Amino acid sequence: MLQRYDRIAQALHWGIGALLLAQLVFGFLLDGLAPRGTPARGLVINLHKSIGLVLLALVATRLAWRLRHPPRPWARDMPAWQQRAATWGHRLLYAGMLALPIAGYVASNFSRHGVRWFGLVLLPPWGPDLPAVYRFFNGLHVALALGFALLVAGHVAMALWHRRMQRNASPELRMTWRSS
């Protein structure tokens, strides 16, 4: 029987994955949705920041779950270089899932705006209003988003490739494939 990840791991994987994709698209469309200087800008930016903080908490939960529930071993027939590539790909995905919202949150704390979490709770900035520091961390946030989008595309491509390979494998080998 094909081993699968438990329901919590699957829910975290697919739920966070869907939210991350939506948040990436939302982030890339921010300027079109609410151009700078328009009244809607603050609401849209704070919604993006609020979702980012929720995602950070969900990713921390997912990482804690993953550390306590390690994945099955790689397939016996998977070459060592593919195992290393997959391991590093997953590590970079986790690093991106953590670094992206942290860079955005730090940027927010070097502006006078801070974060208004879902319009309910003001998280005032803990840093001074330093536009150069804000620009640095915001630029880092954008660069991380671009890199993360490429990692996600690679992750999806490899998952589809492995799914195809699994379908074409013999029944004995299918039993050993690692899937999520």
Side-chain angles (χ1 to χ4, degrees):
M1 177 159 83
L2 179 64
Q3 291 181 331
R4 297 206 175 267
Y5 286 98
D6 62 55
R7 288 184 182 181
I8 293 173
Q10 288 181 36
L12 289 170
H13 177 269
W14 292 107
I16 292 171
L19 285 172
L20 281 169
L21 286 176
Q23 181 74 332
L24 278 171
V25 170
F26 186 29
F28 289 130
L29 296 177
L30 278 177
D31 286 334
L33 293 171
R36 294 179 192 276
T38 62
R41 181 71 176 187
L43 293 172
V44 171
I45 290 292
N46 274 299
L47 179 59
H48 181 72
K49 292 175 183 182
S50 298
I51 294 168
L53 290 175
V54 169
L55 273 166
L56 180 59
L58 288 171
V59 168
T61 301
R62 180 178 177 180
L63 187 56
W65 186 263
R66 172 83 184 247
L67 291 173
R68 294 184 54 102
H69 301 85
R72 296 173 314 284
W74 299 110
R76 291 178 300 221
D77 64 331
M78 187 175 186
W81 71 268
Q82 286 183 6
Q83 292 177 25
R84 283 191 302 276
T87 297
W88 278 102
H90 285 101
R91 287 176 182 168
L92 288 171
L93 283 166
Y94 277 105
M97 286 187 280
L98 292 170
L100 253 169
I102 290 171
Y105 180 69
V106 171
S108 294
N109 282 284
F110 287 98
S111 76
R112 58 186 160 81
H113 303 291
V115 177
R116 187 168 298 280
W117 193 71
F118 291 110
L120 303 172
V121 178
L122 175 62
L123 304 173
W126 42 256
D129 186 16
L130 297 173
V133 175
Y134 168 80
R135 279 192 304 276
F136 171 80
F137 281 104
N138 193 54
L140 177 62
H141 180 69
V142 171
L144 287 168
L146 292 169
F148 187 73
L150 292 173
L151 281 170
V152 168
H155 179 69
V156 170
M158 290 298 99
L160 292 172
W161 183 79
H162 279 287
R163 177 71 54 172
R164 182 168 185 250
M165 295 304 292
Q166 179 183 6
R167 215 178 8 253
N168 295 336
S170 67
E172 304 81 45
L173 283 179
R174 272 188 228 136
M175 303 295 287
T176 64
W177 283 88
R178 180 179 171 177
S179 65
S180 58

